[in-house]
Amino acid sequence: MLSPLLRALRNLSAAALCLAAASTAQADTQASTWPSRNITLVLPFAAGSGTDTTTRLISQHLSQALGVGIVIENKAGANGMIAATYVARAAPDGYTLLVTTNTTHSANPYLLKSLTYDPVKDFTPIARTGDLPFMLVVHPDVPAKTVAELVAYGKANPGKLSYASGSSSAIVSGATFAHNAGLDLLHVPYKSSPPALNDVMGGRVSMMFVDILTGLPHVQGNALRALAVTTKDRTPLIPNLPSMQEAGVADFDISSWQGYFGPAGMPKEIVTRLNAEIRKIVEKPEIRTQLATLGMDAFSGTPEELGTFVNEQLVLWERLIRDAGIEKQ
């Protein structure tokens, strides 16, 4: 005969097993019927940013492939922490996803003293979609047509030049430029790139490192002057612009990457389906061409490759931020 205590423990164990089985069955059912309603893509940047524009293009094709609507929700602010935290705390059912960059998943752990999410533990990697190279632009009134001339002017006028930022790539690029070139630059931070760029065009800020998509139309319209790209080598997206290193700033190689993530614990079947559909879209030559005109070097890979990449980028951005002398805020 079992004692009352042992009988109670056995009943509890049986109940727990039944509950676990029911939960697994429910998760399997949800995965098999997914998607059955609209999917929300949360972005850490404002409408009009490079990430926003490229995501809207990809999402049109993703909506068709999945047979449901795609809703874009821009949650700009706090260097992307608002959007990342929102998705990290969402249900891992495949209906709330984060389309983000190195801002939230590479730089923030080393830029912010208090982070409300973990870029590795709190997310499920889904697919990388490409890189968004940045370029250095200045207001036309700045008396410099090359990076060398800008450095010379900055050294002759310490504290007179300022740089705007609307993302971690812009923050780190500006600080790296100031550090490596030995300049005294005033940093003026913004919630996102479009308002930062507006103030550069208005002459309230001297310059900015901005993604090609957001900045190029204003360069072509002569509202801004482009001096260089931030990647180690020239980019085929703007082949006439030198790299910062080519222009004389040593050890300068910074690029923004973009990818899709879900909350931690997403069913593998949903991740596999999303990855397959996103890769089909990004790898189509005509879509890659469209994205290239938007300033994006498009390519993709497996969820596992994105997970490995995130860990590698955390190491890289820790070094970039440390070398630039940026202190956590």
Side-chain angles (χ1 to χ4, degrees), residues 241-266:
L241 273 187
S243 68
M244 290 291 287
Q245 288 197 165
E246 184 183 350
V249 183
D251 301 322
F252 204 110
D253 183 13
I254 298 173
S255 182
S256 175
W257 57 267
Q258 185 173 297
Y260 282 61
F261 297 81
M266 277 182 60

Side-chain angles (χ1 to χ4, degrees), residues 125 302-314:
T302 67
E304 293 76 18
E305 287 171 338
L306 177 56
T308 299
F309 178 75
V310 167
N311 281 294
E312 292 171 347
Q313 287 291 296
L314 283 167

Side-chain angles (χ1 to χ4, degrees), residues 79 107-113 168 171 321 326-329:
N79 220 37
N108 274 357
Y110 312 109
L111 291 175
L112 305 176
K113 289 181 180 178
S168 68
I171 293 171
I321 292 167
I326 303 173
E327 295 185 1
K328 285 188 177 183
Q329 300 296 315

Side-chain angles (χ1 to χ4, degrees), residues 34-315:
W34 181 92
S36 58
R37 54 186 171 86
N38 288 351
I39 296 169
T40 298
L41 299 182
V42 180
L43 275 61
F45 308 113
S49 63
T51 299
D52 176 81
T53 306
T54 54
T55 299
R56 289 181 187 275
L57 173 60
I58 294 172
S59 69
Q60 293 173 9
H61 299 276
L62 186 60
S63 175
Q64 294 172 6
L66 297 176
V68 296
I70 302 288
V71 178
I72 305 293
E73 190 168 337
N74 301 92
K75 289 185 175 292
N79 220 37
M81 186 162 60
I82 295 172
T85 302
Y86 179 84
V87 174
R89 295 175 180 173
D93 54 12
Y95 291 102
T96 304
L97 307 175
L98 178 70
V99 184
T100 192
T101 68
N102 45 281
T103 287
T104 62
H105 277 57
S106 304
N108 274 357
Y110 312 109
L111 291 175
L112 305 176
K113 289 181 180 178
S114 179
L115 201 62
T116 53
Y117 65 91
D118 186 300
V120 175
K121 295 179 182 178
D122 290 342
F123 295 92
T124 299
I126 297 172
R128 191 173 169 196
T129 48
D131 288 342
L132 290 163
F134 274 52
M135 61 180 176
L136 171 60
V137 296
V138 299
H139 186 271
D141 287 346
V142 175
K145 295 185 178 179
T146 66
V147 174
E149 290 178 359
L150 182 63
V151 171
Y153 177 78
K155 288 184 175 179
N157 299 272
K160 188 171 182 178
L161 292 175
S162 56
Y163 70 96
S165 70
S167 68
S168 68
S169 293
I171 293 171
V172 176
S173 293
T176 299
F177 178 41
H179 179 271
N180 292 11
L183 296 176
D184 177 14
L185 303 179
L186 173 66
H187 178 208
V188 186
Y190 293 79
K191 286 185 177 181
S192 61
S193 294
L197 203 60
N198 285 337
D199 274 3
V200 177
M201 289 189 291
R204 290 175 287 277
V205 187
S206 309
M207 62 182 142
M208 179 180 179
F209 287 91
V210 64
D211 60 90
I212 291 173
L213 165 62
T214 306
L216 189 58
H218 305 295
V219 171
Q220 293 169 334
N222 297 318
L224 295 168
R225 183 184 304 123
L227 302 186
V229 293
T230 60
T231 46
K232 182 180 179 181
D233 301 308
R234 294 192 182 207
T235 171
L237 300 174
I238 314 181
N240 60 309
L241 273 187
S243 68
M244 290 291 287
Q245 288 197 165
E246 184 183 350
V249 183
D251 301 322
F252 204 110
D253 183 13
I254 298 173
S255 182
S256 175
W257 57 267
Q258 185 173 297
Y260 282 61
F261 297 81
M266 277 182 60
K268 185 177 180 180
E269 295 86 348
I270 295 177
V271 175
T272 300
R273 173 79 189 283
L274 274 168
N275 178 268
E277 299 298 350
I278 292 170
R279 290 179 71 175
K280 286 179 190 175
I281 294 166
V282 171
E283 291 168 3
K284 287 182 179 178
E286 63 272 23
I287 295 177
R288 290 190 67 184
T289 299
Q290 284 182 283
L291 290 169
T293 64
L294 298 177
M296 182 176 182
D297 180 14
F299 54 86
S300 193
T302 67
E304 293 76 18
E305 287 171 338
L306 177 56
T308 299
F309 178 75
V310 167
N311 281 294
E312 292 171 347
Q313 287 291 296
L314 283 167
V315 175

